[in-house]
Structure formats: structure tokens, C-alpha cells
Amino acid sequence: SQQGEEDPQALSIQEGENATMNCSYKTSINNLQWYRQNSGRGLVHLILIRSNEREKHSGRLRVTLDTSKKSSSLLITASRAADTASYFCATDKAGTYKYIFGTGTRLKVLA
Amino acid sequence: NAGVTQTPKFQVLKTGQSMTLQCAQDMNHEYMSWYRQDPGMGLRLIHYSVGAGITDQGEVPNGYNVSRSTTEDFPLRLLSAAPSQTSVYFCATADRPNYGYTFGSGTRLTVV
């Protein structure tokens, strides 16, 4: 079973708008990561947030983590056509070395 | 510095055949893992390794074997290919288990 579930499954926005996608997970974690996948390619690591952190920024990316709700959100500000991709969250089950991925959010940014 | 190299990029197998998917990294990463990606299913963990000589099962290990005799290599063996193993396979590595992964470009496997 999937540890993480992204929401929405698909998102379509205009260039310049912000994109928000969410990830929910089931068990206690050490950290949560977000990845991007362009069509047919390997995943690229975007950002990692540890369980004792609440918010993290990297360029146009902002990630929040709410461990009480077992959820995280990824915000991409001022989106560009090049941001069109699938975005995945990955969580490790606390006490293990297993990283489990969610099913992803497909983002389409229209020029 | 090649990063994570997966070979082959494409492969077609007949049901019952065996094969090995190769994964090699030159970053001296301790942690390596294999995932399969199916449409609408996201990535599912097959096997992983936290260092040479140490491997463990992931979510979907049945039908696959791994070994880790060196830090650099982590081959995935399909023992007797089945159509259900048609998928894209990704190898991923990390400096340590709780760090970000570097992914290979994938192997697209079709079992007929």
C-alpha cells in the first residue's frame, strides 16, 4: 500500500500562477521529500524536510509539514511552462530505511 | 562523474526468461534502491541496500533478487519474467538513507 498520497491527481494552471499540491501519509516519519519527474525520465530531488521542521524554502518552492495531520504541501510560485511535470512526495517509515512514494500530482502549466 | 547508470535502457523478454538489470554509481553512496513505476501506481520499492553486503525487501520483492557485493553496483535479477513485471525500473542512490535520492534514467522492460 502507498505510504503517501498526493492531491490533486492532476492540476492545470496558467503560467505565472501558483501551484499547490498536497501529500498525506500514514505513519510516523523521519523526513519527507518532494521529487519532480518530467515525462519518461528519472526523478529529480527537489527538497527534503525533516520531521522537526515546519517549513522550508528553495527558490520558488515552499514546502510545509504538519506532522500532527500527517500532511505536507508543496507550493510552486510564479509557475513556468517548464514546471510541467509530475510531482511526487516520498516518506520514510520511522525506524526503517524504506522510502515510499505516493502516486503523484500531474501539473500542467499553460503558456 | 556519471552519477547513476542503468543498463539496458530498453529490454523485451519472453515469459519465463531471466535477466539482470544493472545499476552502477560513482558517487560512493551507501544507500541504493530499486523501484518500479507503473501507470497510475507511482513508484513502488522492490529492494534496497544500506551498504555493501546488506540488502532488504521493499514493498514488492516477489520475483526479484538483489545482491550488493560492492558499494558501486546493485544489480536486480528477474528470476522468471512474467507479463506483470512489465514496467519501468529505476535505481536510486543516496549518500545516507535519510538524504535525497539521485535517480538513474530507468530501464523500460516489456515481458511478452
Side-chain angles (χ1 to χ4, degrees):
Chain A
S1 64
Q2 300 291 137
Q3 160 78 324
E5 296 287 339
E6 286 90 343
D7 167 59
Q9 290 187 336
L11 180 61
S12 186
I13 60 174
Q14 295 291 327
E15 205 167 29
E17 293 181 337
N18 295 341
T20 299
M21 51 205 87
N22 304 296
C23 170
S24 60
Y25 56 92
K26 298 175 183 175
T27 66
S28 296
I29 61 172
N30 293 315
N31 59 63
L32 182 146
Q33 304 184 40
W34 285 92
Y35 287 82
R36 183 187 74 233
Q37 184 180 36
N38 292 95
S39 180
R41 300 194 175 186
L43 281 72
V44 174
H45 180 253
L46 296 176
I47 197 164
L48 180 151
I49 186 165
R50 303 200 185 279
S51 59
N52 61 354
E53 297 176 312
R54 292 296 168 258
E55 187 171 314
K56 205 161 183 181
H57 297 256
S58 177
R60 294 185 295 114
L61 306 180
R62 172 178 170 256
V63 168
T64 61
L65 179 64
D66 187 335
T67 53
S68 67
K69 295 181 179 178
K70 292 187 172 58
S71 68
S72 173
S73 67
L74 170 68
L75 168 68
I76 303 174
T77 60
S79 62
R80 306 165 182 168
D83 294 328
T84 294
S86 291
Y87 291 82
F88 295 88
C89 69
T91 54
D92 63 328
K93 291 184 179 180
T96 77
Y97 294 119
K98 296 182 180 182
Y99 260 99
I100 307 299
F101 282 76
T103 52
T105 292
R106 295 187 309 279
L107 173 66
K108 188 169 186 178
V109 181
L110 304 170
Chain B
N1 188 346
V4 181
T5 302
Q6 288 186 241
T7 56
K9 293 192 183 306
F10 302 92
Q11 182 71 48
V12 179
L13 286 179
K14 293 183 178 179
T15 297
Q17 287 184 318
S18 62
M19 79 160 294
T20 299
L21 279 63
Q22 302 290 346
C23 176
Q25 53 104 354
D26 61 1
M27 298 173 287
N28 204 33
H29 283 178
E30 290 295 325
Y31 187 83
M32 298 184 75
S33 57
W34 277 102
Y35 289 88
R36 59 177 288 174
Q37 185 176 30
D38 304 302
M41 296 288 292
L43 282 82
R44 290 184 290 171
L45 180 64
I46 306 172
H47 285 285
Y48 65 99
S49 169
V50 298
I54 306 169
T55 64
D56 205 349
Q57 296 181 348
E59 302 172 276
V60 289
N62 292 341
Y64 307 95
N65 274 356
V66 292
S67 60
R68 184 94 180 271
S69 57
T70 66
T71 299
E72 294 78 19
D73 299 297
F74 191 43
L76 177 72
R77 297 183 191 84
L78 277 70
L79 309 173
S80 177
S84 61
Q85 294 179 305
T86 293
S87 189
V88 181
Y89 290 84
F90 288 102
C91 178
T93 75
D95 190 20
R96 302 171 204 176
N98 293 331
Y99 281 60
Y101 284 174
T102 300
F103 275 79
S105 57
T107 294
R108 189 174 297 273
L109 176 68
T110 302
V111 182
V112 297

